[in-house]
Amino acid sequence: MGSSRLLSGLLLCLIAVHSGASTRYAPDWDSLDKRPLPPWFDEAKFGIFLHWGVFSVPSFGSEWFWWNWQQEKSAAYVQFMNKNYPPGFTYADFAPQFTAEFFDPDAWAELFEAAGARYVVLTTKHHEGFTNWGSPVSWNWNAVDTGPHRDLVGDLGNAVKKRKLHYGLYHSLLEWFHPLYLIDKKNGFKTQYFVLAKSMPELYDLVMRYEPDLLWSDGDWESPDTYWNSTGFLAWLYNDSPIKDKVVVNDRWGSGCSCHHGGFYNCADKYTPSTLPDHKWEKCTSVDHYSWGYRRNMQVNQLMDEGNIITELVQTVSYGGNYLLNVGPSKEGLIMPIFQEKLRNVGKWLSINGEAIYATKPWRVQSENATVSIWYTAKDTAVYATFLKWPVENVVKLQSPKPSPSTNVTLLGLTGTLTWKQDPECGLLVNLPVIAPGVFPVEYGWTLKLDGVN
């Protein structure tokens, strides 16, 4: 009898442990918002965003070309079409010209790895509705049936995963001119013809077919999450999907959701907080100031330079965010050399300073010192102070760290320790080496590693 009770007790304990390990989430925000974010996302810090689609064919204005031309009837777009295309030319006529003949997914993946990115997010479908995979609910308006005649989503995913990068899929919930969406819109979103026939089937298909690490939702703003069936989908995603333990999602699941519900928060395009947020977030921005998609007429002075990119990356990570940097490939499947150069230069910087970026946490102070702009991160017992301007006197003044007799200071990228002293008024004074211009391997942003400080 005693041994029977013991076995019963052990069985109950095993059941309890198993039940605790398999949390079920209800299809409501109160439950879904309690799901812990898989740790890989916070550790990754830096990702590459890719806006690629039929809009890459006209490659004029922005990825909102169709809307600006047909809905807004913007003069610049109308004139562009009248000047360059015959009367009666439709947006659908661009699709066969979306050829992607030079698309080399392995070359792309090599570039992203060299850039220091830890994840890649590809547009599977933008608001135009064209899908970059053979969506069974997007007949003849997808990259397999027309244009490239390739599964662009799958091909890039295979290449990215071979390099151990995380793969994310952007998906627009709405489609500007889809007849079923326009009916639902006319009905005040009281009907769900489009959601049931198009949007939700696509999301389930993407998950089951590609098993992505991240779903980057967009196109949600015109209607509530109840129209999109967002909470039901996310409950399935977290509970029963093949990626339930690893998948990360953002916050664009219905009007009013951004910055309030979902996984990590985007809040808005190019969101830049001025204080430390209390929720994991991501800043998405584009190398091209004017567009997320490729523009044939872009000018160098309309692009971010490496100094701006590194500055934003450092500031974003210091505030606990991830930095998702966008480039727009061409219709042929090329990432322009100027984009490649910028990404590789960021990778060169990260190869030296990545220790202060990857897998770090915000420190008790995020920034200080307006003259050289110092930004802090922390990992294990080390504190990292990245300064964005080299001080004229070759002395960095750190007001926040509190040194001890065992404090050790090094400069990432150089061997040896740096001398320092404590000043009652200025704090910690670190003597930098005198380095001739062009000798140090990076031109923007240098990082002090501080061991033994509080």
Side-chain angles (χ1 to χ4, degrees):
M1 182 68 86
S3 61
S4 177
R5 287 200 187 99
L6 178 60
L7 288 172
S8 298
L10 288 172
L11 182 59
L12 288 171
C13 287
L14 287 171
I15 292 172
V17 169
H18 177 73
S19 299
S22 56
T23 302
R24 300 286 296 180
Y25 297 95
D28 59 66
W29 291 120
D30 183 61
S31 177
L32 295 169
D33 287 344
K34 290 183 174 65
R35 178 184 183 254
L37 196 71
W40 74 261
F41 183 74
D42 182 52
E43 294 169 359
K45 302 302 183 187
F46 179 47
I48 302 297
F49 211 178
L50 298 159
H51 276 65
W52 198 29
V54 171
F55 51 81
S56 305
V57 176
S59 51
F60 175 84
S62 81
E63 71 287 351
W64 280 50
F65 183 94
W66 195 5
W67 180 268
N68 291 328
W69 171 36
Q70 292 291 348
Q71 183 67 27
E72 297 295 328
K73 302 193 184 301
S74 169
Y77 291 80
V78 172
Q79 291 170 10
F80 173 83
M81 290 302 299
N82 290 341
K83 182 178 179 180
N84 297 287
Y85 295 91
F89 192 94
T90 69
Y91 191 77
D93 292 328
F94 283 126
Q97 300 177 38
F98 179 43
T99 51
E101 68 266 31
F102 297 130
F103 172 46
D104 183 344
D106 287 309
W108 283 24
E110 184 278 325
L111 171 64
F112 305 148
E113 183 181 46
R118 296 293 172 86
Y119 64 107
V120 177
V121 180
L122 172 69
T123 47
T124 66
K125 183 191 77 172
H126 201 255
H127 315 319
E128 65 186 12
F130 186 90
T131 67
N132 281 331
W133 85 103
S135 168
V137 292
S138 190
W139 180 81
N140 209 39
W141 191 232
N142 67 73
V144 175
D145 290 343
T146 188
H149 296 289
R150 287 181 68 174
D151 179 0
L152 303 178
V153 176
D155 288 352
L156 182 60
N158 292 334
V160 163
K161 291 175 182 178
K162 279 193 295 187
R163 294 184 177 270
K164 309 301 181 186
L165 303 178
H166 291 279
Y167 192 39
L169 303 181
Y170 167 108
H171 175 266
S172 173
L173 293 172
L174 67 76
E175 295 179 23
W176 286 317
F177 303 114
H178 194 289
L180 293 180
Y181 184 72
L182 295 178
I183 290 173
D184 287 347
K185 191 173 183 178
K186 184 178 179 180
N187 293 338
F189 298 108
K190 298 297 190 293
T191 55
Q192 293 181 300
Y193 299 123
F194 175 76
V195 174
L196 298 176
K198 192 70 162 61
S199 196
M200 278 297 127
E202 285 181 341
L203 280 172
Y204 283 100
D205 187 42
L206 287 170
V207 169
M208 298 305 294
R209 192 185 297 219
Y210 303 109
E211 299 190 6
D213 301 299
L214 187 156
L215 279 179
W216 213 101
S217 183
D218 197 14
D220 64 319
W221 59 85
E222 291 189 340
S223 49
D225 62 271
T226 51
Y227 168 73
W228 296 116
N229 289 342
S230 297
T231 55
F233 170 74
L234 291 176
W236 169 81
L237 189 70
Y238 294 168
N239 292 329
D240 302 310
S241 79
I243 54 175
K244 61 186 178 65
D245 296 322
K246 70 172 184 177
V247 70
V248 173
V249 304
N250 64 341
D251 57 353
R252 300 185 182 187
W253 296 99
S255 57
C257 284
S258 290
C259 241
H260 293 95
H261 298 299
F264 63 91
Y265 291 169
N266 289 122
C267 297
D269 290 351
K270 305 184 181 182
Y271 173 65
T272 308
S274 56
T275 57
L276 179 65
D278 60 3
H279 191 94
K280 181 62 189 181
W281 64 285
E282 177 191 68
K283 176 172 183 173
C284 60
T285 192
S286 184
V287 173
D288 184 347
H289 289 299
Y290 291 89
S291 177
W292 299 82
Y294 173 62
R295 292 187 304 133
R296 285 178 287 168
N297 61 336
M298 66 181 180
Q299 303 296 311
V300 171
N301 62 3
Q302 297 170 339
L303 307 178
M304 295 180 70
D305 61 37
E306 287 89 339
N308 296 141
I309 294 170
I310 290 166
T311 295
E312 289 194 352
L313 171 62
V314 169
Q315 294 173 349
T316 297
V317 173
S318 292
Y319 279 136
N322 278 21
Y323 191 62
L324 185 62
L325 183 64
N326 176 81
V327 294
S330 73
K331 71 181 182 67
E332 297 88 2
L334 295 173
I335 296 175
M336 291 298 106
I338 193 166
F339 289 154
Q340 294 188 39
E341 180 183 35
K342 291 178 186 298
L343 293 182
R344 290 186 185 277
N345 284 341
V346 173
K348 179 182 177 182
W349 186 88
L350 282 167
S351 70
I352 295 166
N353 297 281
E355 183 181 340
I357 299 296
Y358 303 121
T360 59
K361 299 291 183 183
W363 194 46
R364 60 177 173 83
V365 174
Q366 281 70 65
S367 65
E368 66 177 40
N369 198 331
T371 57
V372 295
S373 187
I374 298 168
W375 293 82
Y376 291 102
T377 55
K379 180 164 56 181
D380 299 325
T381 60
V383 174
Y384 300 91
T386 300
F387 53 101
L388 301 175
K389 295 180 181 179
W390 191 277
V392 176
E393 66 278 15
N394 293 319
V395 176
V396 177
K397 302 174 183 179
L398 306 176
Q399 299 171 340
S400 301
K402 299 175 182 178
S404 66
S406 63
T407 293
N408 190 59
V409 182
T410 55
L411 183 66
L412 297 187
L414 292 183
T415 57
T417 59
L418 304 181
T419 60
W420 60 272
K421 67 178 181 179
Q422 188 172 11
D423 186 285
E425 296 181 0
C426 300
L428 187 63
L429 303 180
V430 179
N431 297 306
L432 298 174
V434 178
I435 302 175
V439 173
F440 198 77
V442 296
E443 298 180 23
Y444 321 93
W446 305 265
T447 303
L448 297 172
K449 181 179 180 180
L450 311 172
D451 291 297
V453 299
N454 297 311

